[in-house]
Amino acid sequence: MSFQKQIVVDCRGHLLGRLSSIIAKELLNGQQVVLVRCEDTNMSGSLYRAKLKYANFKRKKTNSNPRHGPFHQRAPSKILWRTIRGMVPHKTARGAAALDRLKCYEGVPHPFDRKKRMVIPAALKVLRLRPERKFCKLGDLSSLFGWKHSALVERLEAQRKVKSEAFHKKKVAGTRARTASMKKIKVSGDDAKILEAAGFA
């Protein structure tokens, strides 16, 4: 991944562990990363298996005072954030600074719906998991354990997709119109030679 000021990754269709390890490395290298649509992250294995694993994790608490932790996050963005935290030396200054460079969101909130989103091929389920294998979505697991906002996120996403489609159609129409008008332009012979010499042939 080439270094940029900030990269926005669309988590839809990515495998949780593979995505987390790649993002953790990027954060430690100094890259700012924003993860959107965390609820659509995939996990290998059935939902039943994921449920058993999370229930087992939920049992782990401080015996004398459970409020001391460990804390069991319910929201998909927080579960993903904690998975990445486990792959970063977060108790050192370097690790803490790396985690500060990470932002995780459900859905695609305002500033990022206007930005170019990327995928990470090395973490995509379709490329990494055999088609007959079971998998589940992080959002479904969260809903089973008390995350209450899946319907809200779904509604907001539906609204965003309508706006996004309208913008895309407008952009495509604009590009076509520009290409058509470029073809109609007649350039004189002298100007054509100058353009050719400048590399615009």
Side-chain angles (χ1 to χ4, degrees):
M1 210 182 288
S2 60
F3 191 83
Q4 295 159 31
K5 189 176 172 70
Q6 184 188 63
I7 57 169
V8 182
V9 178
D10 186 353
C11 297
R12 184 174 178 271
H14 289 73
L15 287 168
L16 179 68
R18 287 177 182 273
L19 175 67
S20 300
S21 60
I22 292 164
I23 295 299
K25 193 63 186 170
E26 288 298 319
L27 293 169
L28 289 167
N29 286 342
Q31 177 68 64
Q32 273 195 13
V33 182
V34 177
L35 302 177
V36 294
R37 288 215 277 188
C38 293
E39 74 281 359
D40 285 337
T41 309
N42 293 139
M43 299 163 75
S44 56
S46 66
L47 182 60
Y48 178 70
R49 184 170 185 266
K51 202 164 84 170
L52 290 180
K53 284 168 78 172
Y54 196 87
N56 194 36
F57 165 60
K58 245 183 84 180
R59 281 177 54 241
K60 293 173 171 62
K61 59 188 177 184
T62 305
N63 208 3
S64 56
N65 188 353
R67 282 181 298 181
H68 288 176
F71 304 110
H72 314 103
Q73 303 290 354
R74 272 28 171 222
S77 59
K78 290 287 186 185
I79 292 174
L80 182 53
W81 180 87
R82 197 180 196 277
T83 309
I84 294 166
R85 190 190 74 170
M87 301 179 184
V88 169
H90 65 99
K91 293 186 180 182
T92 65
R94 174 172 169 257
L99 274 183
D100 284 341
R101 289 190 279 273
L102 174 67
K103 296 278 181 287
C104 301
Y105 299 99
E106 286 95 14
V108 187
H110 163 62
F112 310 111
D113 59 351
R114 305 276 176 90
K115 292 187 178 178
K116 187 82 174 167
R117 297 183 286 281
M118 64 184 295
V119 296
I120 297 169
L124 284 172
K125 180 192 74 75
V126 289
L127 301 178
R128 288 291 164 186
L129 202 64
R130 286 171 63 104
E132 74 273 12
R133 297 295 183 195
K134 290 180 180 177
F135 69 94
C136 61
K137 274 168 56 176
L138 190 54
D140 294 342
L141 178 70
S142 292
S143 296
L144 288 173
F145 281 96
W147 182 57
K148 297 184 178 73
H149 304 297
S150 60
L152 171 66
V153 170
E154 240 171 75
R155 197 179 79 232
L156 292 172
E157 277 297 282
Q159 289 171 5
R160 179 189 67 78
K161 283 171 187 171
V162 170
K163 285 181 187 173
S164 181
E165 192 180 357
F167 168 78
H168 180 67
K169 281 178 181 172
K170 188 179 173 185
K171 188 180 175 184
V172 168
T175 309
R176 278 185 188 153
R178 188 170 182 272
T179 311
S181 61
M182 289 287 277
K183 282 177 183 173
K184 288 177 187 174
I185 294 169
K186 296 284 187 287
V187 181
S188 66
D190 295 339
D191 289 343
K193 283 175 187 173
I194 293 164
L195 287 169
E196 200 172 329
F200 292 105

